[in-house]
Amino acid sequence: QELVRFGFWKLYDYAYNKGLFKNDKTKTTPFMAALAIGWGYGFTHLMLTYVAALSHATGPGMLPSPSCPTVSVFYVNALITVGMSLAHIIWNLIAFDGYNQLSYWRIAFVFVVHMATVMSSVVITGFTGSCGFAIGVVYLLLVLALYVLWWTITTHNTLISRRWVRVN
């Protein structure tokens, strides 16, 4: 998925700086592109993940979560999916800024946090009673990504901070 994120950035960079739209006066800023692609990425993740869980709802009654038998699998999946969809937007802003600035630590941060989030929601939820822990890890990593985005905006002269605080 991170290769796809990088591919989106390369496609945007090529189209707007070297390709078809290089002379377009109405082109989007890198911030707007990162935000829009992040929303699309997050929404696609939400639809693919949650619709896949809904496909198992073919009869009456509750389908319990394997990791928390007293909770519906749809409820657990919804909480994890919403957190990850919001995280995709934040990760995209951080990653695009990292690609534009050649900031390898931001790119690595997005990769590591993405992998940790996926592992917590996939591997940990296989153990009985662990759904609360997995949901907590997803949202904890979301807050960490929000902090890194906030730190990037407020302390560095990056493309994102120039867009939000109007630094030239």
Side-chain angles (χ1 to χ4, degrees):
Q1 288 180 346
E2 290 306 318
L3 287 176
V4 171
R5 190 182 318 275
F6 180 72
F8 267 116
W9 176 77
K10 286 300 280 183
L11 182 64
Y12 167 80
D13 186 53
Y14 180 78
Y16 280 98
N17 295 325
K18 301 173 188 119
L20 298 172
F21 304 109
K22 69 180 179 182
N23 295 325
D24 186 7
K25 301 294 182 203
T26 62
K27 68 181 179 181
T28 62
T29 64
F31 168 79
M32 291 172 64
L35 188 62
I37 293 170
W39 273 104
Y41 207 100
F43 182 75
T44 302
H45 178 266
L46 183 132
M47 293 304 290
L48 289 173
T49 304
Y50 202 69
V51 170
L54 287 176
S55 68
H56 296 293
T58 56
M62 181 185 90
L63 182 61
S65 172
S67 59
C68 292
T70 60
V71 181
S72 169
V73 71
F74 305 114
Y75 185 69
V76 172
N77 195 23
L79 290 173
I80 290 173
T81 303
V82 166
M84 288 193 66
S85 296
L86 293 173
H88 275 297
I89 298 166
I90 296 163
W91 294 337
N92 216 59
L93 288 168
I94 296 169
F96 271 41
D97 196 54
Y99 301 145
N100 284 323
Q101 302 291 325
L102 290 176
S103 175
Y104 296 113
W105 78 264
R106 286 187 191 112
I107 298 167
F109 171 80
V110 170
F111 179 78
V112 169
V113 170
H114 189 171
M115 293 304 112
T117 304
V118 169
M119 289 300 151
S120 71
S121 64
V122 173
V123 175
I124 295 174
T125 55
F127 301 105
T128 303
S130 63
C131 66
F133 181 76
I135 293 167
V137 169
V138 167
Y139 283 93
L140 179 68
L141 292 172
L142 174 65
V143 169
L144 178 65
L146 271 170
Y147 175 76
V148 169
L149 181 62
W150 172 80
W151 181 77
T152 300
I153 291 168
T154 59
T155 61
H156 289 40
N157 187 19
T158 65
L159 295 173
I160 292 174
S161 65
R162 280 186 234 144
R163 169 71 177 139
W164 278 345
V165 296
R166 310 253 187 244
V167 175
N168 291 324

